[in-house]
Amino acid sequence: MYKVDLPVDESALRAVERRRAAEAERESRIFNTRARVIGVDLRVLQKQQEEKRERLEMEKQRDMARDLLRLSLDEMAMQQKKEEEELRRELAQDLVQYRAIHQRAEDSRDADINYGREGAPNASISVSDSALGPASMQVFLGEGINENEKKRAQMKMNERNLRAQREEREKQEREQKNRELLTSRELVEKDFRAVQLNALEEECKRAARIALSHYNKAQAEERMEKEQQERLRREGEELAEVRYMVTSDLLTERPEAAKRKTESSAEGPQVLTDRWKGMTPQQISDIHRKREEQCLEKERLREMEMQRDVAWDYHLTEQARQQEREEKRDKELQRERRIQLDKYNQQLALEQQTHQHYLDKQLYTNRPTVQYFTQFGTSSR
């Protein structure tokens, strides 16, 4: 028989791998102490989700704001670039115009050589051409061909440029005049409006000053009238007070004034301190008699207080003695109870030692080893 390599069943291997993955996931879920003991805090998870959504929304808004800022900056950059190109083009045009006006070729020092020697005063050479070398040549082969047509074309182009510049300058001058005219007109209108406003302001100020002067005058008259009325009232009160003091009981010194009845008093006559002239002998004797009666009453109360204190001290002493006897009796009872409890505890300890000796020597003779405890918690099944 020949040895044949049969193909491996991939489905069985995939099934085994799938079961192993499921078992690993199950073990990670079961042996996860946090999820098994503590649990999952749904409120915290929901709060975290809300915070994440808010953070994403803020990031989205920030990205949108940055996009808008980037677009605005791009537009500004494009506008600035456009303005720079426009300025560069205007500068180039001004440079071309300046060269066409102030740097013409026919105005140069070698214009007589380039334009057929028309401007030279006397450029004739007295020496023959055969006696001169290559460096002394004045005219070369091919020069001066169609020079007049070129010059006329150049002049026409210069005329067109000058005409365009003149028209542009006139246009700018007209625009400047129009702007100055509009500016002067606006200034005149502003000055006229300012004059009108100043006139109205002066009129308002004059009316306000007149109204203020009338108001101040009325206030002054009213204040003078009030001061006169206050002076008359004060003078009347002073005269009434003088009349009352002259005819009052204070200056007349009548004894009956100190015993006058008042409308609010229901106990009889009251003594008026501002009009009292002193006590009578009868009143003084009544005061001495009342004072002696009060001293006797106070002495009687003091003797009663001393008797009550002596009785209370005797009662407290008897209570202390009774409490001391009860404490001695309680201590004796506690000592007897403690002796009985010690005897009972000794008996229980002896019984526990006997029972523990029975458990260790007779009942639990086959103790479990470490391998017995390590077999638990190793699988999810």
Side-chain angles (χ1 to χ4, degrees):
M1 296 299 292
Y2 294 99
K3 185 177 180 181
V4 180
D5 294 334
L6 297 176
V8 182
D9 191 359
E10 297 292 339
S11 61
L13 294 177
R14 286 195 297 271
V16 171
E17 292 295 333
R18 185 167 59 254
R19 286 195 296 271
R20 288 179 180 174
E23 181 66 20
E25 192 274 333
R26 179 181 173 86
E27 289 181 357
S28 65
R29 186 177 67 254
I30 292 175
F31 291 109
N32 188 3
T33 307
R34 182 178 180 86
R36 179 169 53 83
V37 179
I38 301 176
V40 180
D41 195 349
L42 295 178
R43 289 181 297 179
V44 174
L45 293 178
Q46 292 177 359
K47 185 178 179 181
Q48 291 177 358
Q49 291 179 356
E50 292 178 358
E51 291 178 355
K52 185 176 181 180
R53 283 196 295 270
E54 292 178 357
R55 185 170 63 254
L56 294 176
E57 185 66 23
M58 292 177 62
E59 290 178 356
K60 184 178 179 181
Q61 293 179 1
R62 185 167 59 251
D63 293 338
M64 293 176 62
R66 288 177 178 174
D67 294 337
L68 294 176
L69 180 61
R70 186 165 51 253
L71 291 175
S72 62
L73 292 176
D74 292 341
E75 291 179 357
M76 292 173 61
M78 293 176 63
Q79 183 68 22
Q80 186 177 3
K81 184 177 179 181
K82 185 177 179 181
E83 292 177 357
E84 290 179 356
E85 292 179 353
E86 185 69 24
L87 180 61
R88 193 180 293 110
R89 186 168 55 254
E90 292 179 357
L91 291 175
Q93 291 179 359
D94 295 340
L95 182 60
V96 171
Q97 293 178 3
Y98 178 80
R99 288 176 178 175
I101 296 173
H102 301 286
Q103 295 181 356
R104 296 184 301 173
E106 56 269 19
D107 296 336
S108 62
R109 297 175 62 182
D110 54 353
D112 55 347
I113 300 174
N114 296 329
Y115 292 91
R117 304 170 62 87
E118 294 179 0
N122 187 7
S124 60
I125 299 175
S126 59
V127 184
S128 62
D129 294 337
S130 60
L132 298 174
S136 302
M137 296 180 64
Q138 299 295 326
V139 180
F140 297 90
L141 183 62
E143 290 184 353
I145 301 174
N146 297 326
E147 187 68 27
N148 296 326
E149 288 79 0
K150 291 180 181 179
K151 186 175 181 180
R152 284 194 297 271
Q154 184 70 27
M155 293 177 64
K156 290 180 180 179
M157 185 176 64
N158 292 335
E159 290 177 0
R160 286 195 301 271
N161 292 333
L162 291 174
R163 192 181 303 110
Q165 292 177 5
R166 191 184 306 108
E167 293 176 356
E168 183 68 23
R169 190 180 300 106
E170 292 177 354
K171 182 179 179 181
Q172 291 179 359
E173 290 177 357
R174 287 195 301 271
E175 291 178 356
Q176 183 67 23
K177 288 181 180 179
N178 293 330
R179 284 196 296 269
E180 292 177 356
L181 181 61
L182 292 175
T183 304
S184 61
R185 186 177 299 172
E186 290 177 358
L187 292 175
V188 170
E189 291 179 357
K190 288 182 180 179
D191 294 338
F192 181 71
R193 191 179 300 115
V195 170
Q196 290 181 347
L197 291 175
N198 290 330
L200 292 175
E201 186 177 1
E202 291 295 332
E203 185 67 25
C204 292
K205 288 181 179 180
R206 185 168 59 257
R209 285 195 297 272
I210 293 172
L212 182 61
S213 63
H214 291 169
Y215 177 76
N216 293 333
K217 185 177 180 181
Q219 289 288 331
E221 293 177 355
E222 184 178 358
R223 185 170 60 256
M224 291 176 63
E225 184 177 359
K226 286 183 179 181
E227 290 178 355
Q228 185 176 3
Q229 292 178 0
E230 182 68 20
R231 185 172 61 257
L232 293 176
R233 183 184 62 79
R234 188 167 55 255
E235 290 177 357
E237 290 179 354
E238 291 176 355
L239 290 175
E241 184 178 1
V242 170
R243 188 181 302 108
Y244 175 76
M245 291 298 295
V246 170
T247 58
S248 66
D249 297 335
L250 179 63
L251 297 179
T252 56
E253 296 184 355
R254 291 188 304 167
E256 295 81 4
K259 298 181 180 180
R260 185 177 300 173
K261 292 185 178 181
T262 59
E263 297 179 357
S264 61
S265 176
E267 298 179 357
Q270 291 184 351
V271 177
L272 303 179
T273 57
D274 58 341
R275 305 173 189 178
W276 188 58
K277 302 300 180 180
M279 292 188 298
T280 61
Q282 183 65 27
Q283 292 176 347
I284 295 172
S285 63
D286 292 339
I287 290 173
H288 288 297
R289 182 173 53 80
K290 288 286 184 181
R291 186 173 62 184
E292 292 176 356
E293 292 177 357
Q294 289 176 0
C295 290
L296 294 175
E297 182 67 21
K298 186 175 181 180
E299 186 68 23
R300 187 179 63 82
L301 293 175
R302 186 182 297 110
E303 291 178 358
M304 291 178 62
E305 184 70 22
M306 291 176 63
Q307 294 176 2
R308 187 166 55 251
D309 292 339
V310 171
W312 180 251
D313 293 339
Y314 177 76
H315 179 68
L316 291 177
T317 304
E318 290 295 327
Q319 283 187 351
R321 291 176 180 175
Q322 183 68 23
Q323 186 175 4
E324 187 175 355
R325 288 193 296 270
E326 290 180 357
E327 289 179 356
K328 289 181 179 179
R329 186 168 56 254
D330 291 339
K331 289 181 180 179
E332 187 67 24
L333 291 175
Q334 288 179 2
R335 189 175 63 80
E336 294 177 357
R337 194 180 299 112
R338 192 180 302 109
I339 292 171
Q340 294 178 1
L341 183 61
D342 293 340
K343 293 180 180 180
Y344 180 70
N345 290 333
Q346 290 177 0
Q347 183 181 356
L348 289 178
L350 183 59
E351 292 177 358
Q352 184 179 7
Q353 289 177 1
T354 305
H355 183 67
Q356 188 68 31
H357 184 269
Y358 168 73
L359 293 177
D360 294 339
K361 301 299 182 180
Q362 298 179 11
L363 184 60
Y364 299 132
T365 58
N366 187 13
R367 293 184 177 274
T369 60
V370 179
Q371 289 78 11
Y372 175 77
F373 293 102
T374 56
Q375 67 179 345
F376 300 101
T378 57
S379 177
S380 61
R381 301 296 178 181

